[in-house]
Amino acid sequence: MPALWIAHVTVTDEEAYGKYAKLAGPAIAKAGGEFIARGGRFVQLEGKERPRNVVATFPSVEAAVECYHSPEYQEALSHARGASERELMVVETSA
């Protein structure tokens, strides 16, 4: 079943996070992921607000998790650590 990769992010270092974003997009695409929301308008109804919210679709939970652990994404992630506060989850869709 398809899955959603959902990230909620507060960027604390724009320059370093820009390096992450430049590398993360191709890593996600290589794993079959496609962005459906990337930092657009949002309304926070509950919980901690993060100004940047990203949603990508993947063919499966396994594909999304493999992407996360891939060397390409881990290299990208090395720029996000220390440059952001983030939550990231993968959720299987029902359709």
Side-chain angles (χ1 to χ4, degrees):
M1 286 202 150
L4 299 176
W5 165 304
I6 304 168
H8 305 292
V9 183
T10 299
V11 176
T12 57
D13 180 337
E14 292 285 342
E15 184 178 340
Y17 201 80
K19 293 175 186 175
Y20 159 80
K22 184 176 180 180
L23 296 171
I28 288 168
K30 181 179 177 182
E34 295 181 36
F35 291 104
I36 58 174
R38 211 170 179 186
R41 182 175 169 239
F42 72 96
V43 176
Q44 184 74 29
L45 297 175
E46 292 186 20
K48 183 174 175 77
E49 181 173 305
R50 299 277 187 198
R52 183 166 176 78
N53 298 283
V54 178
V55 180
T57 61
F58 280 84
S60 66
V61 168
E62 293 78 16
V65 172
E66 287 174 17
C67 175
Y68 181 84
H69 293 292
S70 71
E72 296 88 353
Y73 188 77
Q74 288 298 306
E75 180 181 347
L77 193 56
S78 72
H79 298 285
R81 290 189 179 112
S84 62
E85 297 172 9
R86 324 167 2 116
E87 287 86 34
L88 175 63
M89 69 184 76
V90 176
V91 180
E92 189 171 64
T93 64
S94 56

